[in-house]
Amino acid sequence: MMLPFRWALIGVHLLMLLGTLTNAILPDNYEGLTSTEKMNILWSNILNDIYPIDQEGNYPPSTVTEQTVGDLLFNATFLKEVFAEGSDELLNGRPKIISPTGVIGQFELIVSPGSPYTGVFSSGSYLALGRLSGDPDGTLTQANPLKPFFAMKFLYNGKKSENLFAGYNTIGQSMLDNSTSFFRHQLSTGYDSTSDGAVNPSQDRLLATLREVVAGLPGGPRDRPQNTGILGLVAMASVKWPSGEKEARTFAPFRIVFTPTAEAKLFRQTDFNYRAQMVREIPANIHLFSVTAQRSPCDVFKPLGELWLRSNLVAGHYEDQILRFQQPFRQWDPSFITPDGIPCDTNECGPVDINVCPPDPSGNYTHNYQMG
Ligand SMILES: *[C@@H]1O[C@H](CO)[C@@H](O)[C@H](O)[C@H]1NC(C)=O
Ligand SMILES: *[C@@H]1O[C@H](CO)[C@@H](O)[C@H](O)[C@H]1NC(C)=O
Ligand SMILES: *[C@@H]1O[C@H](CO)[C@@H](O)[C@H](O)[C@H]1NC(C)=O
């Protein structure tokens, strides 16, 4: 859950849409609909609310007001709602402060034959919404380098959606190498957080807030992410797509990595308003990422499949400020290692402070999520 916040930081102000916070209302029976019906509703809401393009081909900044985000971002009570089970839309009036600007499209995750995993990580093809987000204010300058982040939303028949989050690292690629391509680096659902902290005071403060949020989540040790850099994939591995039927037994990868393809790497962000450029230049039906998975914290990454963009990318108010991606809270469990897997050895799980190994097995998933 850490990834998005770090971009909002770096001592800058976050841009929020003010005065346009009334959320669209999904139909009362939304949750009970099929995966396809939900996708159609969300996609039509997204398309009905896209940003107009000005003569220079940019999105107008006029509806965006700058405001410091500190009061919200450093408020654990406000932040914990990102874990609450709920709608695919933000609560009425709640601004999106995590990754508030992005582009969205329909993606197909194609998992190769022979996958040992369950749910959307089992062999097959899965349609999902995918959102590529970057700098909070949606602009790209030397002083405002690109910080790629990726989220996917899997929609199920008669069951709430499950979401996946991935990013590069806690700092942002451009502070390291000044690259301007969204597809320069791998994006991972769990990354080395050793660089967390000591970047700047606001980042340290945010991490402290996030740790407070995670520590305060209801339930047992398994009901919260290991740390601020790793978001679990358990929920998506627990049910079949699109039926939402429970898997007899869950085998979740510990983490997966999206590696940009050669085709994706051709794309270079040069425009100030880089999102408009992505919308213009990235075509539908492009293979954007290859996908690899790590079965346990101690295991090597193995090929899992491919991720294709199936629609055009679009940017707009609905996907930026109304559509909600609940942060997953359930963490990986060593019992998810398949019989031929390697048991997790806490001594081989990387730098100690990453703490990727799960807590004691006595910490089962214990609660049905309902948070204020
Ligand atoms: C923190 O957020 C909660 C929930 O949004 C709000 O009620 C409270 O007033 C906030 N606290 C501060 C100090 O802003
Ligand atoms: C990135 O750009 C800054 C400012 O131009 C420069 O000082 C720094 O050396 C660059 N870093 C790399 C790794 O090229
Ligand atoms: C955790 O769940 C497993 C499988 O259901 C069960 O065998 C075990 O007793 C549980 N542990 C605790 C501490 O509840």
Side-chain angles (χ1 to χ4, degrees), residues 43-57:
W43 192 245
S44 124
N45 287 352
I46 288 165
L47 291 184
N48 283 336
D49 206 359
I50 58 177
Y51 296 128
I53 292 274
D54 69 16
Q55 286 176 346
E56 280 78 48

Side-chain angles (χ1 to χ4, degrees), residues 6-7 146-148 168-177:
R6 69 178 195 270
W7 312 335
L146 189 67
K147 301 165 190 76
Y168 172 46
N169 73 3
T170 53
I171 299 175
Q173 65 184 28
S174 297
M175 289 177 68
L176 300 176
D177 62 16

Side-chain angles (χ1 to χ4, degrees), residues 332-347:
W332 185 86
D333 175 322
S335 67
F336 297 146
I337 301 175
T338 47
D340 60 329
I342 307 163
C344 184
D345 176 347
T346 51
N347 295 319

Side-chain angles (χ1 to χ4, degrees), residues 108-172:
E108 182 184 7
L109 174 65
I110 303 171
V111 177
S112 310
S115 164
Y117 305 114
T118 52
V120 297
F121 309 116
S122 64
S123 305
S125 160
Y126 311 98
L127 286 176
L129 286 173
R131 188 165 179 268
L132 306 158
S133 59
D135 298 24
D137 68 359
T139 62
L140 184 69
T141 62
Q142 194 72 13
N144 196 26
L146 189 67
K147 301 165 190 76
F149 187 67
F150 182 53
M152 290 182 78
K153 177 180 285 299
F154 294 90
L155 301 161
Y156 300 90
N157 299 348
K159 178 198 168 304
K160 74 169 203 68
S161 65
E162 301 293 352
N163 305 300
L164 170 157
F165 293 81
Y168 172 46
N169 73 3
T170 53
I171 299 175

Side-chain angles (χ1 to χ4, degrees), residues 361-364:
S362 62
N364 280 347

Side-chain angles (χ1 to χ4, degrees), residues 311-361:
S311 71
N312 289 312
L313 291 172
V314 293
H317 173 66
Y318 187 86
E319 58 95 12
D320 269 353
Q321 282 296 322
I322 298 178
L323 186 66
R324 173 174 184 265
F325 290 79
Q326 181 208 327
Q327 309 262 325
F329 52 86
R330 296 221 156 108
Q331 71 175 253
W332 185 86
D333 175 322
S335 67
F336 297 146
I337 301 175
T338 47
D340 60 329
I342 307 163
C344 184
D345 176 347
T346 51
N347 295 319
E348 292 177 8
C349 289
V352 173
D353 55 348
I354 297 182
N355 184 29
V356 288
C357 281
D360 186 275

